[in-house]
Amino acid sequence: MAKTGTTTQGLRAAIERSGYYPTLVAEAVEAAVGGEAVDSYLVHQETTFDSNEVRRHVTVLVLTGTRFIVSHTDEQPADGTSSSPYATTSTESVKVQRISSVVLSRVVADPESYTAGTLPREVVLTIGWGAVSRLDMEPATCGDPNCEADHGYTGSATADDLSLRVSEAADGPDTVRQTLAFAQALSEATVTPA
């Protein structure tokens, strides 16, 4: 379940409510935040099914006055490196000025009768800051179906550092609202004063 808010205490409480290794997750997030005030946050726990295993992971997004912090924790089954299950936690701290895009995709039911303020059925929040890019290439054509000339390649590069999907059916309407609120706060934080 996603939680959003604006205080360090609220962030800690949301991490604890998620119930997903709260001490481990909170320690990693609090170390990354340091002494900065928390402007907004989002805690999103997701359960996935991998073959015959159920896996959980949590993503914590934090916005401070100067930084965007991403923390992700995954649990792993026992393997060749560990005889018991283990968790991996990572945090990344990005200067707000480095954020190049905040994309919010909304899926709405029955768009012909949509009214302003209606909650989307699902949202996908994609944030780019240049750490990861996806390059999609394909052969270029001239439009002549009989042409056999080599026209090179065409493609597009897309910033794709983080993508988070939240749906009303899986996560509940409050989670969709909280994701929208965090996306708005982050979007507003990236505006450069004129």
Side-chain angles (χ1 to χ4, degrees), residues 55 76-86:
R55 287 200 174 157
Q76 306 292 329
D79 59 21
T81 63
S82 176
S83 59
S84 62
Y86 60 98

Side-chain angles (χ1 to χ4, degrees), residues 1-4 7-31 33 41-45 58-62 71 73:
M1 170 182 267
K3 299 291 176 199
T4 189
T7 67
T8 303
Q9 295 82 10
L11 172 58
R12 177 69 182 234
I15 290 169
E16 289 175 1
R17 277 191 304 277
S18 80
Y20 183 81
Y21 305 122
T23 304
L24 173 65
V25 173
E27 180 180 57
V29 171
E30 289 169 0
V33 170
Y41 62 83
L42 179 67
V43 178
H44 182 257
Q45 182 182 333
V58 67
T59 302
V60 180
L61 308 178
V62 180
S71 177
T73 303

Side-chain angles (χ1 to χ4, degrees), residues 171-183:
D171 303 296
D174 286 341
T175 303
V176 174
R177 277 188 204 89
Q178 292 159 355
T179 304
L180 292 169
F182 183 83

Side-chain angles (χ1 to χ4, degrees), residues 35-56:
E36 282 194 86
V38 173
D39 292 342
S40 186
Y41 62 83
L42 179 67
V43 178
H44 182 257
Q45 182 182 333
E46 187 174 10
T47 303
T48 57
F49 300 94
D50 184 15
S51 297
N52 295 330
E53 296 178 357
V54 175
R55 287 200 174 157
R56 299 177 304 157

Side-chain angles (χ1 to χ4, degrees), residues 57-95:
H57 54 165
V58 67
T59 302
V60 180
L61 308 178
V62 180
L63 178 62
T64 72
T66 62
R67 296 179 299 144
F68 167 64
I69 297 163
V70 180
S71 177
H72 189 79
T73 303
D74 281 306
E75 60 186 2
Q76 306 292 329
D79 59 21
T81 63
S82 176
S83 59
S84 62
Y86 60 98
T88 304
T89 299
S90 63
T91 57
E92 182 173 1
S93 178
V94 179
K95 290 181 181 179

